Each structure stands twice: as C-alpha cells, then as structure tokens.
Amino acid sequence: MVKLIHTLADHGDDVNCCAFSSSLLATCSLDKTIRLYSLSDFTELPHSPLKFHTYAVHCCCFSPSGHVLASCSTDGTTVLWNTQNGETLAVMEQPTGSPVRVCQFSPDSTCLVSGAADGTVVLWNAQSYKLYRCGSVKDGSLVACAFSPNGNLFVTGSSCGDLTVWDDKMRCLHSEKAHDLGITCCDFSSQPVSDGERGLQFFRLASCGQDCQIKIWVVSFTHIFARSTEDQAKQFTEDWSEDDVSVWLCAQGLSDLVGIFKMNNIDGRELLNLTKESLADDLKIESLGLRSKVLRKIEELRTKVKTLSSGIPDEFLCPITRELMKDPVIASDGYSYEKEAMENWISKKKRTSPMTNLVLPSVVLTPNRTLKMAISRWLETHQK
C-alpha cells in the first residue's frame, strides 16, 4: 500500500534533489536554496532555507551522522552546512570553476567527492575542508557518484555513459562505456556477496541511464586492486606528468614548490632522480629543512614504488591503509587488519566493519600469527 501523507511546496522553481538523515529531509532547487524539514511533522526548520549559492543547486547529501549537509551548484562551489543551526562550515571551490553537478560523502565522513560539468572530480578532506586529490574523466559531465560500503572505492557516472571506478587515492582503477545515452544514477548495495569457493567478497553496483536500461555490476575489490597494482609502479615513474607531480606535492604539504617544479619541468621520472645536490643547485631550494623534507618524501615514494613493483599478495595488505601489514589482527568480521589502523578505526569510526560497513559483533582484536609469519617469509624472499 502506498499513501501520500504530505506535500511540500516551498521552493520557487524545479526541485533537483532530496536527501534524508535520521531526523531531517533536505531539498535543493533551481531557486538557489536548500530547505530543511523535520521528519516528525515535516515543518521547515527555523534556520531554513539555507542561502549561499548564486545559481541553481543540483545536489545535496547528508554526512552519515546527519550533522553536516553538503550542497553543490552551478556557481562552481560545494558548500558544507551545520544542519543544527544552518551555519556555513566551508565553501569549497571546484579548481576549474566548472558547475558542480554531484556530491557524495564517504561512509566514514572523512571524505567528500564533488563532480563537475567539465568532467573534473575532486576528493576533499571533509575535516580540514582542503582538496586532497583531483582527477577527470575523458568526456561528459559527471552526474552520478557512489561510495562502496567500505569506503575504499567510489564510482562516478558521466553524461556520456562512462562508468569509472576510483580508489581512495584517486587512482582510476576501471572505466568503461556503461550506457549509450548517458548515466543518470548509480549506487552500491550495502550487503556483500560471497564467493564460497575462493572466500572472496563482492559488492553489487547498479547503474541506470537514458538508454532505458538498468545494469547490475559485480565489483571485486581484490581483483581490482590486484589488477591495478600491476600498473602502479609504472604510474609512480614514467606515467606521472608534471601535473601529477604538482598534485603529489600538494598532498605532501609542499604546495609552495609547485611553481619551482613546473618551471623546471619535473615529471615523475625526474622526481625520482632528484638528489640533495639537484634540489639545491638546479631547483635553487635554499632552505635546508625544506630540502630534507622533499628528499624524505621522495624516498618514501621510491620505497612505495619498489614495494608495488614486487607484487605484494593482496591478503598481506591492510584493507584500511592498503599497506603491508606488520602486526595483523583478526576482527570480529573475519577480516585481517593492521592492528594500529583497526584500533584507530574503532575509536574514531564507531563499531562498523571497514569491509562490509556492518556493525561489528565485538571489538576484540585477535593476533593473526599465521599471517604474520607468512608475511615475514615473503619479505625474506622478496626484499633481499
């Protein structure tokens, strides 16, 4: 049975999107506003409507806690709002200034994705409100976005019909033409599907498009990460453009050096070959402390390249950090994690599984000595 219980007619133009939290309903419109309603009686909150955007608002979404609301607009901004008082927490401008069509929080609220009409996609740090990584699709506007339940991946859909899978470091893991006439929406199922024979877990992804079709996909995190690591060593060297190096510098807190590196045409290959002498003599970086920091970050990058190129088995990588585990533990969801990473996850992100996003039956962590021994044997064999 379906029964209409209420109709809201406060917007002055087309309503583009609506979103629920546990206690609120949010709506956004071509009239440039966002409105908040109480779910108890559908009355509009005293601090609604929320006004900042200078053009149409295309999308709005709540953080998982419901305390923060994100909205994005043709004006090229994504705005974060305090839902309790309507105050503006942050205004995040799309680097290209292009109209922002879609925004989405990660399941743990640490990140926010914004996708724009020119195909740029930005991964924001939702705590510091700073840009973390930026990428783009080849063709079309980004009109859809969804995070996997564990937050390790997110998917974007474009007006040209391309479905693109990204990891949490903004590496493009997979892209293909999914719909002939453009994608309109996509979403992950919250429940994993298990492959009993191999012990693997998959998530189902649905995409729908203007070709009158709905397609169901199976996404295997293990297979995607295994396939992508084959290309990552090359990506960290020969495939890095000057712009990729600039993004890396910003992520390391070295944005002041972007201009110097660009002026000297430093790409990935050149980056890995930099020495303390070339930083001082060729790039003219006078500060000893700054040179030391750059060299330290480059050495970390070299180590990562070496590690990736050695083909670490996926089961040796922590699902949270995607790094080789040193002290693996088994959680109550049956998965193994790096002890420190899982302890931080439990303390900061409540009692949910990083892999399934379901509530953990227990927060007890059991040392996985068998896995630790296997990792030690692998290290002895591969890092001589």
Side-chain angles (χ1 to χ4, degrees):
M1 185 185 83
V2 177
K3 180 182 178 182
L4 178 66
I5 60 173
H6 206 91
T7 300
L8 303 169
D10 298 304
H11 283 292
D13 210 329
D14 292 355
V15 181
N16 288 324
C17 184
C18 60
F20 279 109
S21 72
S22 59
S23 59
L24 299 175
L25 169 67
T27 62
C28 63
S29 167
L30 292 179
D31 66 9
K32 311 174 190 176
T33 69
I34 303 100
R35 293 183 181 271
L36 293 174
Y37 300 92
S38 170
L39 290 185
S40 60
D41 55 6
F42 295 103
T43 57
E44 190 167 6
L45 300 190
H47 48 272
S48 177
L50 307 180
K51 296 182 179 180
F52 174 87
H53 294 293
T54 55
Y55 291 100
V57 186
H58 296 286
C59 181
C60 61
C61 63
F62 285 99
S63 65
S65 68
H67 296 153
V68 180
L69 178 73
S71 62
C72 58
S73 166
T74 301
D75 62 16
T77 66
T78 302
V79 178
L80 299 186
W81 308 85
N82 184 326
T83 58
Q84 297 175 324
N85 55 27
E87 291 183 357
T88 303
L89 298 175
V91 178
M92 301 179 295
E93 298 182 0
Q94 201 76 2
T96 59
S98 179
V100 186
R101 301 296 189 189
V102 64
C103 57
Q104 184 67 49
F105 279 101
S106 63
D108 61 6
S109 297
T110 59
C111 298
L112 177 78
V113 166
S114 64
D118 63 353
T120 58
V121 54
V122 177
L123 188 63
W124 303 92
N125 183 316
Q127 270 71 53
S128 65
Y129 314 134
K130 293 181 179 179
L131 186 151
Y132 173 56
R133 293 287 172 89
C134 183
S136 64
V137 296
K138 293 181 179 178
D139 300 301
S141 302
L142 289 179
V143 294
C145 179
F147 271 93
S148 64
N150 60 10
N152 287 345
L153 304 173
F154 67 93
V155 172
T156 57
S158 79
S159 59
C160 286
D162 293 332
L163 196 67
T164 305
V165 182
W166 311 80
D167 70 3
D168 55 5
K169 301 294 189 296
M170 279 294 297
R171 292 187 288 254
C172 178
L173 304 181
H174 182 80
S175 184
E176 72 174 83
K177 188 79 168 181
H179 295 271
D180 290 338
L181 301 176
I183 293 174
T184 54
C185 186
C186 61
D187 199 14
F188 277 97
S189 166
S190 62
Q191 299 298 322
V193 179
S194 296
D195 179 342
E197 294 183 359
R198 291 177 292 175
L200 300 177
Q201 281 201 323
F202 306 88
F203 280 95
R204 285 169 290 195
L205 170 74
S207 64
C208 48
Q210 294 176 330
D211 54 4
C212 303
Q213 293 184 346
I214 300 169
K215 296 187 178 182
I216 311 300
W217 311 79
V218 175
V219 180
S220 166
F221 298 105
T222 302
H223 287 168
I224 284 180
F225 280 115
R227 185 171 67 248
S228 66
T229 52
E230 294 175 2
D231 301 324
Q232 286 173 9
K234 185 177 179 182
Q235 180 182 357
F236 275 111
T237 52
E238 297 175 359
D239 279 2
W240 264 21
S241 65
E242 293 176 23
D243 289 337
D244 292 328
V245 172
S246 297
V247 171
W248 177 79
L249 287 169
C250 292
Q252 309 307 315
L254 298 167
S255 56
D256 290 344
L257 297 179
V258 169
I260 296 175
F261 275 61
K262 275 187 169 294
M263 189 182 304
N264 288 274
N265 305 116
I266 304 296
D267 57 14
R269 182 185 292 274
E270 294 292 332
L271 177 68
L272 291 176
N273 289 327
L274 288 176
T275 64
K276 60 181 180 180
E277 290 79 13
S278 60
L279 288 175
D281 300 337
D282 299 333
L283 301 189
K284 309 297 183 184
I285 299 176
E286 297 181 358
S287 169
L288 176 61
L290 190 55
R291 290 200 302 270
S292 298
K293 181 177 180 179
V294 174
L295 283 174
R296 191 164 60 248
K297 294 296 182 181
I298 293 175
E299 187 56 40
E300 291 175 3
L301 190 58
R302 289 171 181 148
T303 301
K304 193 169 185 178
V305 171
K306 181 179 179 181
T307 301
L308 288 171
S309 62
S310 63
I312 300 176
D314 195 71
E315 60 268 26
F316 293 173
L317 300 177
C318 172
I320 299 174
T321 64
R322 298 304 302 171
E323 294 177 355
L324 185 68
M325 288 184 278
K326 299 177 181 178
D327 190 7
V329 294
I330 304 173
S332 58
D333 61 357
Y335 290 94
S336 292
Y337 305 92
E338 177 63 34
K339 181 180 179 182
E340 183 180 359
M342 191 56 185
E343 288 176 341
N344 289 336
W345 178 277
I346 293 172
S347 66
K348 296 178 182 179
K349 302 175 179 67
K350 302 182 180 180
R351 289 178 48 170
T352 57
S353 164
M355 292 298 288
T356 68
N357 208 35
L358 301 177
V359 176
L360 292 169
S362 167
V363 294
V364 174
L365 302 177
T366 305
N368 191 337
R369 295 186 177 88
T370 301
L371 180 58
K372 188 172 184 177
M373 290 175 62
I375 293 173
S376 297
R377 288 195 295 269
W378 182 88
L379 285 173
E380 290 174 1
T381 303
H382 290 80
Q383 295 194 351
K384 291 181 178 180

